[in-house]
Amino acid sequence: MPDDHGPAAAYAADRRRRAYPVFHEFSGLYSFGLDDFQVRACHEIEDGRGVLVAAPTGSGKTIVGEFAIHLALATGRKCFYTTPIKALSNQKFHDLVARYGEDQVGLLTGDHTVNGEAPVVVMTTEVLRNMIYAGSRTLLGLGFVVMDEVHYLADRARGAVWEEIIIHVPESVALVSLSATVSNAEEFGEWLTEVRGEVTTIVEERRPVPLYQHVMAGRKLLDLFAASDVDAAAGFVREGTPVNRELERLARDDWASHRVRDRRSPKQSRGRGSDNRRPVGNGRRVWVPSRVDVVDRLEREGLLPAINFIFSRVGCDAAVTQCLAAGVRLTTPEERDAIFAFVEDSCRHLPEEDLHVLGYHDFLDGLTRGVAAHHAGLLPTFKEIVEQLFVRGLCKVVFATETLALGINMPARTVVIEKLTKWDGETHADITPGQYTQLTGRAGRRGLDVEGHAVVLWQPGMNPRELAGLASTRTYPLRSSFAPSYNMAANLVHQFGRERSRELLEQSFAQFQADRAVVGLARKLRKSDDALSGYAEAATCHLGDFMEYAGLRRRISEVEKAAARERKADQRAEAAESVRRLRPGDVIRVPAGKFAGWAVVVDPGSPTEEPRPYVVTAERQARRLAMIDFPQPVEPAARLKVPRGFNGRNPQMRRDLASALRTRTHDLAPPPPSKRGKGARPEDVDDRVAELRQRLREHPCHDCPEREDHARWAERWFKLDRDAATLRQRIERRTNTVARQFDRVCEVLTALGYLDGDTVTERGSHLRVLYSDTDLLAAESLRRGLWDDLDASELAAALSVLAFEARRPDDASSPRLPGGRTREAIGGMVRLWGELDSLERDHRLDLLRQPDLGFAWAAHRWAEGDELDGILTVTDLAAGDFVRWMKQLLDLTGQVADAAGPGPLRETAREAGRRLKRGVVAYSSVND
């Protein structure tokens, strides 16, 4: 082994100290030696280069970002530390204040501004993006930007912000990008080098703390991988590592149980502490462990603290309740006293009358026993209390949704995953290797644990080999989600003009990845072109140009098909017009579909959009129909009185109206099939076909004895030519895709008068400070004066439809709305969205989401001073969701105030913000 203390080692160390004096000083701040990847990254930064560091969760990437801060302070420059979420910004702010002092560190999160002109400022990425667009003077003297969790640029909703910053931050600024492990880090690094200059990519795949993988079946804790594999035994897993044979036997037993289980046996109890055991054919038992059993086993094995991921808010809360009911207690009396004092002090600002509705006492009871839930429905104050107590080692088990894995730094000794499927908004989908790695990456606390543990709970039908694939796969690439928005376009054109903006957007990672994909498509196109030449040669006719002849044949077929399509289109238009003429009370015969037959119209639907009448059928069904149910025109056969205030959800009302409908139609004969739209072809079509057929007969190739053989080759040519054209379109779509979308966005803004060539007009200037995903709808509502007559509470309700987005929209629900001017304003905004949506479709765009009315009543009542208990009871919102949407709404009221300019609306928006920021909304963070 080399002599680490010999003359050569001392000489090398001295050279490093002289070459990297700031790093030498910085590394002395830590009680442990830094890893090689950290040292290499810090050296690159001190050499003046940007870095991309891709390393596993918990490996210490943030040390590289902290060195950039240290270097900035040492050289008299500024450093911005950006994070994707406010909670992570708050945590980082407190860490840095503890190291460098209050005068050196600031915080900007939208909610809070603390010492914003300090040399080191922690902020959310959106704040930095907005500063760049505004040309803020705070950017002067900026030397470094640390982009923590830069892999967030794959996020569909917010990912574009990261790319905007990377492209537009001044060239003199060095970027320090910190990412989770991704399989295409080199590709991402190449792009960073292309747009930023010298950037060094450093990839670290091995965790500093080994991670052991287990499966818990009943009360048995089994290794996932075979102990004979050296790397797996050390906690480092390669793809293809063999699975523990005992687990494979359990899987076979489980499979056998499905075949021989007595179906007449009663279902197993799932009560408190139940093992959910299921007998199998050979006398063995395989069962899903209860949550209480999991906690007990981890405590006995010394594997706490632990995070138990349950992909359900309700499941997380239920898990805490089950632990309390089973008498779980994981804390000492001294720890309980410390927890009680900390929680009481942290919640002293919460209104006493709100504590009950917030579930405070159950929350406190769980924490004093060392157990808590953590999910987005929890009050932010409660979430941060859980985080801080967990980091301090006082909270022993947290039942959390996957959002915790993407949030703040909260490592554990053990991570438990209850199921390998989760609801993705549409279906229960298997978690991906990337998600599995992100979740289990929390296990193993550097400096506290010599090893981390990941435990997956046994579920019926589990395949250990598939789980092993999840635990060892390394293929999770970073994909750009970048797309130009209206606000982005307005800001870019204002700063750079349209052509320069287009060039900047072509530098995006999205375009970089698209251009690489074009290479493979171009290769396919070359092969197609070669084959086309061969087909054309095979179709050669000695009598004349056979491809010309084949073209005539295809033209005849196309003209006849087009005429048929036109007749169908005419019939569809006539059918739509007939449905549009319907009125409430019309009795009609629905021609087709699931609800074909007699029906009475309750509501004919929108007169401007595609008609969708709401009807009650003779079979007592109330449904809103679509044009697919009307392949032919329909006419009212009779009239029927629909009761005032009819409610299709009321079974008795449906029965009564259906009974009246059956009586009214008892003697009515079904209308005869419609003859309209089925007439003869137009005369000009027949003339055109006759002319083409005459030219076909006169062509020299018409009498060729090998005509049909030539025709087969020609047909292959046309089919391949069509496929090649599709390839060309795909290449065209991928080439300059971002720039083309930017052009379309600019065309919409030009049509609305927001842009005039390279100039953002006065009308468009409001858009530049509206950053929501409904930016254009907000700007147009402002311009058209839809909010001018509203008071503060009414404005809060109106703006909520732009800020709020339901987790699981229910199309059938009718949200509760305030009345009067608020309802009128919201109605105007919905109609305006319809206009803008139509304008977008004309320009092949789909950027604006539909306004969501589900929070308007809550926003109005909160602004009017109603108590939290009443609002949460009526709306069925979780406290955390309520606060989060209020924060979003507060942010939007501030943007509207800025966009409105001096005048009454600005004052109304500011007053709305003041009314909303009270109670749990005003005091939603222990960091406030």
Side-chain angles (χ1 to χ4, degrees):
M1 293 182 63
D3 182 2
D4 292 337
H5 303 287
Y11 175 71
D14 184 62
R15 283 192 62 185
R16 283 194 297 272
R17 278 195 294 272
R18 284 187 282 112
Y20 301 103
V22 180
F23 173 71
H24 176 68
E25 176 192 350
F26 172 76
S27 60
L29 299 174
Y30 295 90
S31 58
F32 53 87
L34 300 188
D35 290 341
D36 179 61
F37 84 91
Q38 296 167 326
V39 173
R40 285 189 292 133
C42 293
H43 285 179
E44 293 290 332
I45 295 170
E46 194 163 353
D47 281 337
R49 285 182 284 273
V51 295
L52 166 65
V53 179
T57 301
S59 60
K61 295 186 294 291
T62 54
I63 285 179
V64 179
E66 289 167 3
F67 175 68
I69 293 171
H70 196 85
L71 182 59
L73 291 173
T75 55
R77 289 177 286 177
K78 289 183 181 179
C79 180
F80 289 169
Y81 195 107
T82 71
T83 74
I85 56 175
K86 294 174 183 176
L88 194 53
S89 291
N90 290 334
Q91 187 180 63
K92 201 69 201 174
F93 170 69
H94 288 289
D95 291 346
L96 294 175
V97 165
R99 170 172 291 184
Y100 296 110
E102 293 181 357
D103 60 325
Q104 296 291 307
V105 185
L107 175 69
L108 295 172
T109 64
D111 288 346
H112 304 297
T113 299
V114 179
N115 198 15
E117 295 300 323
V120 177
V121 183
V122 183
M123 62 184 68
T124 49
T125 43
E126 280 83 358
V127 170
L128 177 54
R129 186 269 313 270
N130 299 351
M131 289 170 64
I132 292 170
Y133 283 156
S136 170
R137 292 185 57 82
T138 305
L139 296 169
L140 295 176
L142 182 62
F144 302 91
V145 168
V146 179
M147 303 191 74
D148 204 354
E149 311 280 1
V150 74
H151 53 272
Y152 259 72
L153 69 77
D155 184 79
R156 283 184 299 176
R158 300 172 56 215
V161 177
W162 276 259
E163 292 193 46
E164 289 178 75
I165 292 171
I166 291 169
I167 293 170
H168 301 308
V169 78
E171 291 182 11
S172 58
V173 176
L175 283 188
V176 177
S177 304
L178 310 178
S179 171
T181 307
V182 292
S183 56
N184 63 332
E186 289 81 4
E187 178 191 39
F188 185 45
E190 285 179 41
W191 173 69
L192 285 171
T193 299
E194 190 170 287
V195 296
R196 300 295 314 171
E198 285 190 283
V199 175
T200 303
T201 300
I202 296 173
V203 178
E204 176 60 49
E205 293 186 341
R206 293 173 74 86
R207 293 167 46 92
V209 179
L211 177 65
Y212 289 86
Q213 308 275 348
H214 312 278
V215 174
M216 188 168 175
R219 293 187 175 92
K220 295 181 70 174
L221 194 62
L222 302 170
D223 291 336
L224 173 59
F225 294 101
S228 59
D229 188 279
V230 178
D231 272 358
F236 301 106
V237 184
R238 298 188 306 266
E239 291 192 53
T241 300
V243 174
N244 185 345
R245 289 183 179 179
E246 186 174 356
L247 271 178
E248 294 192 313
R249 284 196 297 272
L250 282 176
R252 287 194 296 271
D253 290 346
D254 187 34
W255 178 80
S257 74
H258 285 281
R259 305 195 66 183
V260 301
R261 188 170 47 201
D262 184 354
R263 295 186 179 183
R264 292 171 297 175
S265 65
K267 292 183 178 179
Q268 296 292 325
S269 168
R270 293 183 180 267
R272 186 179 78 186
S274 167
D275 295 328
N276 298 331
R277 294 176 180 161
R278 299 188 293 102
V280 300
N282 60 3
R284 292 174 181 263
R285 289 178 182 271
V286 179
W287 60 85
V288 179
S290 74
R291 289 159 177 164
V292 173
D293 282 345
V294 173
V295 173
D296 288 344
R297 181 58 189 267
L298 295 181
E299 184 184 26
R300 288 201 311 274
E301 295 286 339
L303 296 179
L304 299 180
I307 300 172
N308 190 331
F309 285 109
I310 301 173
F311 304 127
S312 157
R313 298 179 180 187
V314 173
C316 292
D317 293 334
V320 173
T321 302
Q322 290 158 11
C323 288
L324 298 186
V328 170
R329 188 178 294 281
L330 306 173
T331 52
T332 65
E334 293 76 19
E335 288 174 330
R336 288 196 291 277
D337 290 344
I339 291 167
F340 186 89
F342 179 78
V343 177
E344 288 277 275
D345 183 61
S346 299
C347 294
R348 68 187 185 281
H349 58 268
L350 294 176
E352 186 70 31
E353 62 273 15
D354 290 342
L355 292 180
H356 175 70
V357 68
L358 295 173
Y360 171 77
H361 300 291
D362 291 337
F363 172 73
L364 178 58
D365 185 25
L367 274 174
T368 56
R369 293 166 180 257
V371 180
H374 188 290
H375 53 72
L378 212 61
L379 192 73
T381 298
F382 287 5
K383 281 197 295 184
E384 291 173 10
I385 288 171
V386 172
E387 291 159 9
Q388 294 194 27
L389 290 176
F390 191 85
V391 169
R392 289 170 57 183
L394 296 174
C395 181
K396 312 296 183 179
V397 177
V398 172
F399 297 96
T401 55
E402 74 276 14
T403 52
L404 185 146
L406 303 173
I408 48 81
N409 181 28
M410 194 169 140
R413 179 166 297 162
T414 303
V415 162
V416 179
I417 300 179
E418 189 166 280
K419 291 183 179 179
L420 296 175
T421 59
K422 72 183 198 68
W423 180 258
D424 63 4
E426 297 180 0
T427 184
H428 283 93
D430 294 336
I431 66 173
T432 66
Q435 290 167 337
Y436 183 89
T437 302
Q438 185 80 41
L439 295 169
T440 57
R442 293 280 179 185
R445 299 166 299 172
R446 188 168 189 175
L448 293 175
D449 302 316
V450 295
E451 59 192 37
H453 297 267
V455 179
V456 176
L457 304 190
W458 185 273
Q459 294 294 329
M462 177 182 283
N463 184 336
R465 292 189 179 184
E466 290 180 359
L467 173 57
L470 273 181
S472 60
T473 299
R474 295 288 175 265
T475 53
Y476 18 93
L478 188 62
R479 296 292 178 214
S480 172
S481 60
F482 183 83
S485 67
Y486 296 111
N487 167 273
M488 185 194 302
N491 277 297
L492 288 177
V493 173
H494 175 74
Q495 277 192 295
F496 306 110
R498 189 160 167 178
E499 192 55 39
R500 174 64 179 144
S501 298
R502 203 176 190 276
E503 292 172 4
L504 286 170
L505 292 177
E506 286 181 328
Q507 298 176 26
S508 67
F509 188 41
Q511 190 59 58
F512 183 82
Q513 290 187 311
D515 288 344
R516 288 197 158 193
V518 164
V519 174
L521 295 177
R523 189 180 303 116
K524 288 183 181 179
L525 184 58
R526 281 196 301 274
K527 290 182 179 179
S528 296
D529 288 340
D530 292 342
L532 284 169
S533 299
Y535 291 166
E537 186 177 346
T540 302
C541 178
H542 66 288
L543 296 177
D545 185 348
F546 196 88
M547 296 305 295
E548 181 183 67
Y549 177 79
L552 285 171
R553 291 174 66 157
R554 291 182 65 84
R555 183 64 184 142
I556 291 169
S557 174
E558 288 169 357
V559 169
E560 291 180 328
K561 287 178 181 177
R565 285 195 300 268
E566 201 169 309
R567 289 198 302 276
K568 286 183 180 178
D570 289 343
Q571 186 168 6
R572 282 196 297 269
E574 191 174 352
E577 185 56 35
S578 72
V579 175
R580 204 172 275 115
R581 288 195 297 266
L582 294 177
R583 296 291 178 265
D586 282 347
V587 174
I588 59 172
R589 184 89 179 180
V590 180
K594 185 178 178 181
F595 306 105
W598 291 112
V600 57
V601 177
V602 176
D603 171 24
S606 169
T608 57
E609 301 171 8
E610 180 178 284
R612 296 196 63 198
Y614 186 64
V615 304
V616 171
T617 70
E619 284 71 40
R620 304 196 296 271
Q621 294 167 309
R623 290 289 186 275
R624 193 167 288 282
L625 304 180
M627 282 309 302
I628 196 172
D629 300 306
F630 297 94
Q632 61 193 54
V634 64
E635 296 290 343
R639 294 278 301 165
L640 191 64
K641 183 174 177 59
V642 177
R644 186 184 298 274
F646 175 81
N647 183 353
R649 293 183 178 179
N650 185 309
Q652 186 59 50
M653 285 187 168
R654 287 202 310 272
R655 280 195 292 270
D656 292 346
L657 187 56
S659 175
L661 174 63
R662 288 194 296 272
T663 301
R664 185 71 182 84
T665 57
H666 179 69
D667 296 324
L668 287 179
S674 173
K675 300 293 184 183
R676 287 175 290 188
K678 294 186 178 181
R681 291 192 311 200
E683 194 172 319
D684 61 334
V685 173
D686 288 334
D687 291 345
R688 178 68 176 141
V689 170
E691 177 199 343
L692 289 171
R693 289 191 184 280
Q694 180 64 30
R695 289 173 57 189
L696 193 72
R697 287 191 293 272
E698 294 172 353
H699 197 281
C701 295
H702 187 67
D703 297 323
C704 177
E706 299 177 354
R707 183 182 69 189
E708 294 311 309
D709 186 44
H710 296 330
R712 280 191 291 274
W713 284 108
E715 191 57 38
R716 291 176 190 174
W717 187 94
F718 283 117
K719 183 179 184 306
L720 184 57
D721 184 60
R722 186 169 61 246
D723 293 342
T726 302
L727 270 178
R728 288 189 186 91
Q729 288 175 356
R730 288 176 64 188
I731 290 172
E732 171 61 24
R733 280 198 298 269
R734 292 190 180 217
T735 305
N736 302 322
T737 48
V738 176
R740 276 208 313 280
Q741 173 140 340
F742 173 72
D743 289 340
R744 291 170 189 161
V745 167
C746 288
E747 287 165 9
V748 168
L749 296 180
T750 300
L752 292 170
Y754 284 44
L755 291 183
D756 182 7
D758 278 356
T759 305
V760 178
T761 64
E762 184 179 353
R763 174 184 290 189
S765 61
H766 308 303
L767 179 61
R768 292 180 48 229
V769 294
L770 295 168
Y771 293 99
S772 76
D773 57 355
T774 52
D775 48 9
L776 187 60
L777 179 54
E780 272 295 276
S781 298
L782 179 66
R783 183 180 73 81
R784 299 193 188 191
L786 296 183
W787 306 324
D788 288 354
D789 298 329
L790 304 180
D791 65 25
S793 299
E794 293 166 342
L795 180 62
L799 293 181
S800 77
V801 308
L802 304 179
F804 178 73
E805 193 169 7
R807 292 176 66 214
R808 295 183 181 179
D810 182 358
D811 295 337
S813 65
S814 299
R816 189 172 182 178
L817 291 176
R821 292 179 302 189
T822 311
R823 187 181 290 264
E824 290 176 13
I826 291 174
M829 293 166 69
V830 172
R831 288 190 294 274
L832 175 56
W833 171 82
E835 291 179 31
L836 296 176
D837 183 59
S838 178
L839 181 62
E840 280 195 329
R841 285 200 302 269
D842 290 344
H843 290 85
R844 290 173 292 168
L845 289 173
D846 182 19
L847 300 181
L848 290 175
R849 66 169 177 83
Q850 190 168 357
D852 193 318
L853 281 54
F855 198 61
W857 183 85
H860 185 263
R861 296 319 309 163
W862 185 253
E864 285 290 284
D866 283 15
E867 292 185 0
L868 181 67
D869 191 358
I871 293 175
L872 295 187
T873 301
V874 172
T875 59
D876 200 29
L877 280 167
D881 291 332
F882 174 81
V883 170
R884 186 171 73 258
W885 291 119
M886 278 296 174
K887 291 281 188 180
Q888 297 280 352
L889 179 53
L890 267 169
D891 191 36
L892 183 57
T893 57
Q895 292 178 28
V896 168
D898 291 340
L905 182 58
R906 169 175 285 184
E907 296 308 313
T908 304
R910 287 176 173 169
E911 174 61 22
R914 286 191 288 269
R915 292 189 185 186
L916 294 174
K917 196 171 184 178
R918 66 178 180 88
V920 293
V921 178
Y923 303 106
S924 61
S925 168
V926 295
N927 296 313
D928 284 358

